[in-house]
Amino acid sequence: MKTLFIIQTRVKFLPLKIFKPESSLWDVAEDVALMSSWCIVSEDKICGKNQKFTIIWAKVKKLYDEAQAESPEKIGKRNIQQMKGRYKRLCQSVHKWVRVCEEARRRAKSGMSQKDIESEAHKIYQQDVKSKFTDIVVYNDVMCKNQKWAPPTHHDTTRYRPECEEENEESGGSTKRSRTSEEGDYSNPETPNTG
């Protein structure tokens, strides 16, 4: 005859802790914390860019963890590999965004506002990448302020000025002829008027 033993176990219910698991999707606050940390480390005047990647990422992780400790409800815990992966993805999408914004500026028509140009950039991005640009907050808050992702600056893009039209210091800055008498005589800009 066989005896069957039943073992009972007691299950304890622990209080539910609210936390973000390390495998969850990245939130905007986490993106901002990551990219802010990276920018601070990479722009360090003492160490500069002459740092090994392992040291850079250790410093980025430390700063990210400090930001996470300040607001754990918004920023989840992440390991270095997750940070590197997210950084790479953000860099790729932002580099595409900067390129697309430049294209939208080139296509801009007279009278278009900056908002119109940005809207055009979103359309171009969606056509090229087949998805929307969702990192606009982290780009505007952090990344566009860093030289690596800053949009190119334009000086006078309203009109092309060939070298022959550039201001001439000797002639007072004008290459136009001007009237010198009531009869309608014109002066030649290369020769001074002696009349």
Short mmCIF file of all heavy atoms in Angstrom, two decimals, residues 98-136:
data_model
loop_
_atom_site.label_atom_id
_atom_site.label_comp_id
_atom_site.label_asym_id
_atom_site.label_seq_id
_atom_site.Cartn_x
_atom_site.Cartn_y
_atom_site.Cartn_z
N VAL A 98 17.82 65.99 -37.94
CA VAL A 98 18.58 67.19 -38.30
C VAL A 98 18.72 67.29 -39.82
O VAL A 98 18.56 68.36 -40.41
CB VAL A 98 19.97 67.20 -37.61
CG1 VAL A 98 20.87 68.29 -38.15
CG2 VAL A 98 19.81 67.35 -36.10
N ARG A 99 18.99 66.16 -40.47
CA ARG A 99 19.10 66.13 -41.93
C ARG A 99 17.76 66.53 -42.58
O ARG A 99 17.73 67.32 -43.52
CB ARG A 99 19.52 64.74 -42.39
CG ARG A 99 19.63 64.58 -43.90
CD ARG A 99 19.92 63.15 -44.32
NE ARG A 99 19.05 62.14 -43.76
CZ ARG A 99 17.83 61.85 -44.23
NH1 ARG A 99 17.33 62.51 -45.24
NH2 ARG A 99 17.12 60.89 -43.67
N VAL A 100 16.67 66.01 -42.05
CA VAL A 100 15.34 66.31 -42.58
C VAL A 100 14.98 67.78 -42.35
O VAL A 100 14.38 68.42 -43.22
CB VAL A 100 14.30 65.35 -41.95
CG1 VAL A 100 12.90 65.84 -42.12
CG2 VAL A 100 14.45 63.97 -42.54
N CYS A 101 15.34 68.32 -41.19
CA CYS A 101 15.07 69.74 -40.92
C CYS A 101 15.82 70.63 -41.91
O CYS A 101 15.29 71.64 -42.38
CB CYS A 101 15.48 70.11 -39.49
SG CYS A 101 14.33 69.53 -38.26
N GLU A 102 17.05 70.25 -42.23
CA GLU A 102 17.84 70.99 -43.20
C GLU A 102 17.17 70.95 -44.57
O GLU A 102 17.10 71.95 -45.27
CB GLU A 102 19.26 70.41 -43.27
CG GLU A 102 20.23 71.22 -44.04
CD GLU A 102 20.41 72.63 -43.50
OE1 GLU A 102 20.24 72.85 -42.30
OE2 GLU A 102 20.71 73.52 -44.32
N GLU A 103 16.66 69.79 -44.93
CA GLU A 103 15.95 69.65 -46.21
C GLU A 103 14.68 70.50 -46.21
O GLU A 103 14.36 71.15 -47.21
CB GLU A 103 15.59 68.18 -46.45
CG GLU A 103 14.81 67.91 -47.71
CD GLU A 103 15.57 68.25 -48.97
OE1 GLU A 103 16.82 68.21 -48.97
OE2 GLU A 103 14.91 68.55 -49.99
N ALA A 104 13.96 70.53 -45.11
CA ALA A 104 12.74 71.35 -45.02
C ALA A 104 13.08 72.83 -45.13
O ALA A 104 12.32 73.60 -45.74
CB ALA A 104 12.01 71.06 -43.71
N ARG A 105 14.21 73.25 -44.55
CA ARG A 105 14.63 74.65 -44.68
C ARG A 105 14.96 74.99 -46.13
O ARG A 105 14.67 76.08 -46.60
CB ARG A 105 15.85 74.93 -43.80
CG ARG A 105 15.50 75.15 -42.36
CD ARG A 105 16.70 75.65 -41.55
NE ARG A 105 16.44 75.43 -40.15
CZ ARG A 105 16.83 74.36 -39.47
NH1 ARG A 105 17.55 73.43 -40.04
NH2 ARG A 105 16.54 74.24 -38.20
N ARG A 106 15.59 74.04 -46.83
CA ARG A 106 15.91 74.28 -48.24
C ARG A 106 14.65 74.38 -49.08
O ARG A 106 14.62 75.13 -50.05
CB ARG A 106 16.81 73.17 -48.79
CG ARG A 106 18.26 73.44 -48.56
CD ARG A 106 19.13 72.42 -49.28
NE ARG A 106 19.78 71.67 -48.22
CZ ARG A 106 19.76 70.36 -48.06
NH1 ARG A 106 19.15 69.61 -48.92
NH2 ARG A 106 20.35 69.78 -47.06
N ARG A 107 13.64 73.62 -48.73
CA ARG A 107 12.39 73.63 -49.48
C ARG A 107 11.47 74.78 -49.09
O ARG A 107 10.45 74.99 -49.75
CB ARG A 107 11.62 72.33 -49.24
CG ARG A 107 12.24 71.11 -49.82
CD ARG A 107 11.32 69.94 -49.59
NE ARG A 107 11.90 68.67 -49.97
CZ ARG A 107 11.27 67.52 -49.86
NH1 ARG A 107 10.04 67.46 -49.39
NH2 ARG A 107 11.87 66.40 -50.23
N ALA A 108 11.79 75.49 -48.04
CA ALA A 108 10.90 76.53 -47.51
C ALA A 108 10.62 77.59 -48.56
O ALA A 108 11.51 78.03 -49.29
CB ALA A 108 11.51 77.17 -46.27
N LYS A 109 9.38 77.99 -48.60
CA LYS A 109 8.95 79.03 -49.52
C LYS A 109 8.84 80.34 -48.75
O LYS A 109 8.74 80.36 -47.53
CB LYS A 109 7.61 78.65 -50.12
CG LYS A 109 7.67 77.41 -50.98
CD LYS A 109 6.31 77.07 -51.55
CE LYS A 109 6.41 75.87 -52.43
NZ LYS A 109 5.87 74.67 -51.86
N SER A 110 8.83 81.41 -49.48
CA SER A 110 8.70 82.72 -48.88
C SER A 110 7.42 82.80 -48.06
O SER A 110 6.36 82.36 -48.50
CB SER A 110 8.68 83.78 -49.98
OG SER A 110 8.52 85.06 -49.42
N GLY A 111 7.53 83.32 -46.87
CA GLY A 111 6.37 83.49 -46.01
C GLY A 111 6.12 82.33 -45.07
O GLY A 111 5.21 82.39 -44.24
N MET A 112 6.90 81.25 -45.17
CA MET A 112 6.70 80.11 -44.27
C MET A 112 7.28 80.44 -42.90
O MET A 112 8.39 80.96 -42.79
CB MET A 112 7.38 78.86 -44.81
CG MET A 112 6.66 78.22 -45.98
SD MET A 112 7.49 76.72 -46.58
CE MET A 112 6.93 75.52 -45.39
N SER A 113 6.53 80.13 -41.86
CA SER A 113 7.00 80.36 -40.50
C SER A 113 7.86 79.17 -40.06
O SER A 113 7.91 78.14 -40.73
CB SER A 113 5.81 80.51 -39.54
OG SER A 113 5.14 79.27 -39.42
N GLN A 114 8.52 79.32 -38.93
CA GLN A 114 9.33 78.23 -38.39
C GLN A 114 8.46 77.02 -38.08
O GLN A 114 8.88 75.88 -38.27
CB GLN A 114 10.08 78.71 -37.13
CG GLN A 114 11.08 77.71 -36.60
CD GLN A 114 12.19 77.41 -37.60
OE1 GLN A 114 12.62 78.27 -38.35
NE2 GLN A 114 12.65 76.19 -37.60
N LYS A 115 7.24 77.27 -37.64
CA LYS A 115 6.30 76.17 -37.35
C LYS A 115 5.93 75.42 -38.64
O LYS A 115 5.82 74.20 -38.64
CB LYS A 115 5.05 76.74 -36.67
CG LYS A 115 4.24 75.73 -35.95
CD LYS A 115 3.22 76.41 -35.07
CE LYS A 115 2.76 75.41 -34.05
NZ LYS A 115 2.77 75.85 -32.71
N ASP A 116 5.75 76.16 -39.74
CA ASP A 116 5.46 75.53 -41.02
C ASP A 116 6.63 74.66 -41.48
O ASP A 116 6.44 73.56 -42.00
CB ASP A 116 5.17 76.59 -42.10
CG ASP A 116 3.91 77.39 -41.83
OD1 ASP A 116 3.01 76.86 -41.13
OD2 ASP A 116 3.83 78.53 -42.32
N ILE A 117 7.84 75.16 -41.28
CA ILE A 117 9.04 74.42 -41.68
C ILE A 117 9.16 73.15 -40.84
O ILE A 117 9.47 72.07 -41.36
CB ILE A 117 10.30 75.30 -41.55
CG1 ILE A 117 10.23 76.44 -42.57
CG2 ILE A 117 11.56 74.49 -41.74
CD1 ILE A 117 11.30 77.50 -42.40
N GLU A 118 8.88 73.24 -39.54
CA GLU A 118 8.94 72.05 -38.68
C GLU A 118 7.87 71.04 -39.08
O GLU A 118 8.12 69.83 -39.10
CB GLU A 118 8.76 72.44 -37.21
CG GLU A 118 8.97 71.27 -36.28
CD GLU A 118 8.90 71.66 -34.81
OE1 GLU A 118 9.43 72.72 -34.45
OE2 GLU A 118 8.32 70.88 -34.03
N SER A 119 6.70 71.52 -39.44
CA SER A 119 5.64 70.63 -39.90
C SER A 119 6.06 69.91 -41.19
O SER A 119 5.83 68.70 -41.35
CB SER A 119 4.36 71.43 -40.13
OG SER A 119 3.35 70.63 -40.66
N GLU A 120 6.70 70.65 -42.09
CA GLU A 120 7.21 70.06 -43.32
C GLU A 120 8.29 69.02 -43.01
O GLU A 120 8.35 67.96 -43.64
CB GLU A 120 7.78 71.16 -44.23
CG GLU A 120 8.30 70.66 -45.55
CD GLU A 120 7.23 70.14 -46.49
OE1 GLU A 120 6.04 70.48 -46.32
OE2 GLU A 120 7.59 69.37 -47.40
N ALA A 121 9.14 69.31 -42.01
CA ALA A 121 10.18 68.37 -41.61
C ALA A 121 9.56 67.07 -41.08
O ALA A 121 10.05 65.98 -41.38
CB ALA A 121 11.09 68.99 -40.56
N HIS A 122 8.49 67.19 -40.31
CA HIS A 122 7.80 65.98 -39.81
C HIS A 122 7.26 65.15 -40.98
O HIS A 122 7.35 63.93 -40.95
CB HIS A 122 6.68 66.36 -38.85
CG HIS A 122 7.13 66.64 -37.46
ND1 HIS A 122 7.55 65.66 -36.60
CD2 HIS A 122 7.24 67.82 -36.78
CE1 HIS A 122 7.90 66.20 -35.44
NE2 HIS A 122 7.72 67.50 -35.53
N LYS A 123 6.72 65.81 -41.99
CA LYS A 123 6.21 65.09 -43.16
C LYS A 123 7.33 64.36 -43.90
O LYS A 123 7.18 63.20 -44.27
CB LYS A 123 5.49 66.06 -44.11
CG LYS A 123 4.18 66.58 -43.60
CD LYS A 123 3.59 67.58 -44.56
CE LYS A 123 2.40 68.28 -43.97
NZ LYS A 123 1.90 69.36 -44.83
N ILE A 124 8.44 65.06 -44.11
CA ILE A 124 9.58 64.45 -44.80
C ILE A 124 10.12 63.27 -44.01
O ILE A 124 10.42 62.21 -44.57
CB ILE A 124 10.70 65.50 -45.05
CG1 ILE A 124 10.20 66.61 -45.97
CG2 ILE A 124 11.94 64.84 -45.64
CD1 ILE A 124 11.14 67.80 -46.05
N TYR A 125 10.25 63.45 -42.68
CA TYR A 125 10.75 62.37 -41.83
C TYR A 125 9.86 61.14 -41.94
O TYR A 125 10.34 60.02 -42.08
CB TYR A 125 10.83 62.85 -40.37
CG TYR A 125 11.49 61.88 -39.44
CD1 TYR A 125 12.86 61.95 -39.19
CD2 TYR A 125 10.77 60.88 -38.79
CE1 TYR A 125 13.48 61.06 -38.33
CE2 TYR A 125 11.38 59.98 -37.93
CZ TYR A 125 12.74 60.08 -37.71
OH TYR A 125 13.36 59.20 -36.85
N GLN A 126 8.55 61.36 -41.87
CA GLN A 126 7.62 60.24 -41.93
C GLN A 126 7.70 59.53 -43.28
O GLN A 126 7.60 58.31 -43.35
CB GLN A 126 6.19 60.71 -41.65
CG GLN A 126 5.24 59.58 -41.39
CD GLN A 126 3.97 60.02 -40.71
OE1 GLN A 126 3.76 61.20 -40.48
NE2 GLN A 126 3.13 59.08 -40.36
N GLN A 127 7.90 60.28 -44.36
CA GLN A 127 8.04 59.66 -45.68
C GLN A 127 9.33 58.85 -45.78
O GLN A 127 9.34 57.75 -46.32
CB GLN A 127 8.03 60.73 -46.78
CG GLN A 127 6.69 61.36 -47.01
CD GLN A 127 6.78 62.55 -47.95
OE1 GLN A 127 7.85 63.01 -48.30
NE2 GLN A 127 5.61 63.07 -48.33
N ASP A 128 10.43 59.40 -45.25
CA ASP A 128 11.73 58.74 -45.35
C ASP A 128 11.84 57.52 -44.43
O ASP A 128 12.33 56.47 -44.84
CB ASP A 128 12.87 59.70 -45.00
CG ASP A 128 13.13 60.72 -46.09
OD1 ASP A 128 12.46 60.65 -47.14
OD2 ASP A 128 14.00 61.58 -45.89
N VAL A 129 11.43 57.67 -43.18
CA VAL A 129 11.65 56.64 -42.17
C VAL A 129 10.44 55.72 -42.01
O VAL A 129 10.56 54.65 -41.42
CB VAL A 129 12.04 57.32 -40.82
CG1 VAL A 129 12.34 56.30 -39.75
CG2 VAL A 129 13.22 58.24 -41.01
N LYS A 130 9.31 56.13 -42.51
CA LYS A 130 8.05 55.36 -42.40
C LYS A 130 7.54 55.30 -40.97
O LYS A 130 6.83 54.38 -40.59
CB LYS A 130 8.21 53.93 -42.95
CG LYS A 130 8.78 53.84 -44.34
CD LYS A 130 7.87 54.43 -45.37
CE LYS A 130 8.43 54.21 -46.77
NZ LYS A 130 8.47 55.36 -47.59
N SER A 131 7.93 56.27 -40.15
CA SER A 131 7.38 56.40 -38.80
C SER A 131 7.52 57.86 -38.38
O SER A 131 8.26 58.62 -39.00
CB SER A 131 8.10 55.49 -37.81
OG SER A 131 9.43 55.93 -37.63
N LYS A 132 6.81 58.23 -37.34
CA LYS A 132 6.86 59.60 -36.86
C LYS A 132 8.11 59.83 -36.02
O LYS A 132 8.63 58.90 -35.41
CB LYS A 132 5.62 59.92 -36.00
CG LYS A 132 4.35 59.96 -36.80
CD LYS A 132 3.18 60.35 -35.93
CE LYS A 132 1.92 60.45 -36.76
NZ LYS A 132 0.79 60.90 -35.96
N PHE A 133 8.56 61.08 -35.99
CA PHE A 133 9.69 61.45 -35.14
C PHE A 133 9.12 61.67 -33.74
O PHE A 133 8.43 62.65 -33.48
CB PHE A 133 10.39 62.70 -35.66
CG PHE A 133 11.56 63.12 -34.82
CD1 PHE A 133 12.67 62.31 -34.71
CD2 PHE A 133 11.56 64.32 -34.13
CE1 PHE A 133 13.76 62.68 -33.93
CE2 PHE A 133 12.63 64.70 -33.36
CZ PHE A 133 13.73 63.88 -33.27
N THR A 134 9.42 60.76 -32.83
CA THR A 134 8.83 60.80 -31.49
C THR A 134 9.77 61.34 -30.43
O THR A 134 9.40 61.43 -29.27
CB THR A 134 8.38 59.38 -31.08
OG1 THR A 134 9.52 58.52 -31.15
CG2 THR A 134 7.28 58.87 -31.99
N ASP A 135 10.99 61.72 -30.82
CA ASP A 135 11.98 62.17 -29.85
C ASP A 135 12.14 63.69 -29.84
O ASP A 135 13.20 64.20 -29.49
CB ASP A 135 13.33 61.50 -30.15
CG ASP A 135 13.22 59.99 -30.15
OD1 ASP A 135 12.55 59.46 -29.24
OD2 ASP A 135 13.78 59.35 -31.05
N ILE A 136 11.10 64.40 -30.21
CA ILE A 136 11.19 65.86 -30.33
C ILE A 136 11.44 66.52 -28.98
O ILE A 136 12.16 67.52 -28.90
CB ILE A 136 9.93 66.45 -31.02
CG1 ILE A 136 10.16 67.90 -31.44
CG2 ILE A 136 8.70 66.33 -30.16
CD1 ILE A 136 11.02 68.05 -32.65
#
